[in-house]
Amino acid sequence: MRLATRDNGTPDGELILVAADGTRCVPAGSEASNLLSALEQWKAVRPALDAVATRLAEGEGEPLDHATLRAPLPRTWQWLDGSAFPTHGELMQQAFNLPPIETDKPLMYQGMSHQFLGPGEDAPFPSAADGIDFEGEFGVVTGAVPMGCPAENALAHVLLVVLINDWSLRTIAPFEMKTGFGWVQAKPACSLAPFAVTPDELGDAWRDGRVCLPLTVTVNGTWFGNPDGSAMAYGFHELIAHAARTRSLPAGTIIGSGTVSNADHARVGSTCISERRAIEKIAHGAFRTGFLQEGDQVAMQVGEDGAYFGRIEQRVRLTAG
């Protein structure tokens, strides 16, 4: 099942189901008017959603206008981002002479969740001097997760899988990290690809709590990287268990994988500028790639023509305040 949100002038938009080829859609109906409410009553509305999906598979539906699509979840209760790809951390430590983080637990922080940018919206930032960067990630959307949920039970709570651009402001981040209180200014609103999919839509690519597919990133139409999501040191079931150790998680919680990164980065590239700069620093002693500027375009997709999650394609827009 492929779910999307169409703009209808309300904060949460209208939930629609989208055909496998991305060309047709059918509204979910009054039982599930938006995705957040559907997630909160998933067991009750799932039969109705399945019925709509069957109609789509049989050829029903109106043409899908991609320009009307917002983030599948324009806002939600909680956004927790992990850092589950060890290569990314190792490159940062080597390039910037950072001490290793001594822990045997997943890394995770809590970001802003009251706004997620849509796949085609301009991404607004106050200044290019803040070091505008993107981060390509996979994520899962959970149902309600009880406190203390063990990892072996956690995948049962994964309702949807999403593709995320976790925007970051790199010149602000070091100062916030040094406070020990985590990020606020360095982490503006993230973006979501247009389609949130049930795990079965990924077929064999959904394995061991991981999206085992390459994530392709381009900048201004030029290939930047396509590392594979299978290299997570912790699967999403382990990230969910970590997040739920001392708290319950509400339905609609989004948990991110962190920057997708592979050990063979010389071949597959990266999904963020900061990692490429780290590689350049290690290899050449200096940075060669700058951060984003006004008008730069970042695109992300998984599969040919965004076959799985659709396509994120955004331009950087500087605001006057």
Side-chain angles (χ1 to χ4, degrees):
M1 188 184 308
R2 185 175 296 193
L3 303 172
T5 292
R6 182 164 59 185
D7 188 20
N8 66 351
T10 67
D12 297 301
E14 177 192 21
L15 179 61
I16 58 175
L17 277 74
V18 178
D21 63 2
T23 63
R24 292 174 292 108
C25 67
V26 173
S30 58
E31 290 188 57
S33 59
N34 62 70
L35 182 52
L36 186 56
S37 66
L39 292 165
E40 293 176 325
Q41 49 182 337
W42 190 257
K43 288 184 179 179
V45 304
R46 181 66 193 259
L49 295 177
D50 286 336
V52 175
T54 298
R55 290 164 50 196
L56 267 172
E58 292 173 348
E60 290 190 35
E62 59 190 271
L64 177 63
D65 181 358
H66 287 258
T68 66
L69 297 182
R70 300 174 62 187
L73 276 171
R75 59 179 181 173
T76 193
W77 297 112
Q78 187 162 227
W79 154 237
L80 300 171
D81 195 16
S83 182
F85 290 88
T87 296
H88 180 70
E90 292 163 2
L91 287 169
M92 295 297 120
Q93 290 165 13
Q94 183 178 352
F96 300 105
N97 296 314
L98 300 174
I101 299 174
E102 301 292 345
T103 181
D104 59 354
K105 296 179 174 61
L107 302 177
M108 185 174 288
Y109 75 92
Q110 186 164 2
M112 64 174 280
S113 61
H114 70 271
Q115 178 190 22
F116 287 88
L117 301 176
E121 288 185 63
D122 286 350
F125 304 98
S127 172
D130 291 335
I132 302 167
D133 196 1
F134 51 86
E135 293 186 51
E137 306 189 13
F138 293 109
V140 296
V141 185
T142 74
V145 181
M147 183 174 67
C149 175
E152 56 266 28
N153 296 343
L155 287 184
H157 298 290
V158 173
L159 303 184
L160 300 169
V161 186
V162 292
L163 173 62
I164 304 165
N165 182 357
D166 175 29
W167 293 101
S168 297
L169 300 177
R170 299 300 190 184
T171 60
I172 298 175
F175 299 100
E176 291 195 315
M177 290 174 69
K178 289 177 182 178
T179 68
F181 278 82
W183 289 301
V184 176
Q185 294 181 354
K187 288 293 185 178
C190 299
S191 305
L192 294 177
F195 308 139
V197 305
T198 49
D200 60 282
E201 287 284 322
L202 301 178
D204 293 341
W206 177 247
R207 298 193 304 272
D208 194 25
R210 294 161 170 82
V211 181
C212 301
L213 291 165
L215 193 172
T216 300
V217 178
T218 63
V219 178
N220 296 325
T222 300
W223 178 87
F224 199 91
N226 62 336
D228 195 281
S230 62
M232 291 172 71
Y234 297 96
F236 280 110
H237 53 306
E238 293 162 304
L239 296 182
I240 292 169
H242 175 77
R245 181 178 178 270
T246 60
R247 65 173 78 176
S248 62
L249 307 180
T253 294
I254 304 177
I255 295 182
S257 66
T259 307
V260 178
S261 179
N262 291 174
D264 57 342
H265 48 77
R267 181 179 64 86
V268 301
S270 302
T271 63
C272 75
I273 295 173
S274 186
E275 180 174 297
R276 176 179 278 190
R277 283 164 62 89
I279 294 167
E280 292 168 346
K281 182 76 178 297
I282 294 166
H284 309 293
F287 304 128
R288 296 183 173 182
T289 301
F291 292 114
L292 299 175
Q293 302 294 318
E294 168 87 39
D296 282 343
Q297 183 189 68
V298 178
M300 297 183 183
Q301 67 182 44
V302 177
E304 188 174 355
D305 298 323
Y308 291 92
F309 304 99
R311 181 176 170 88
I312 297 174
E313 191 166 352
Q314 298 177 281
R315 290 192 182 276
V316 170
R317 174 170 57 85
L318 301 183
T319 65

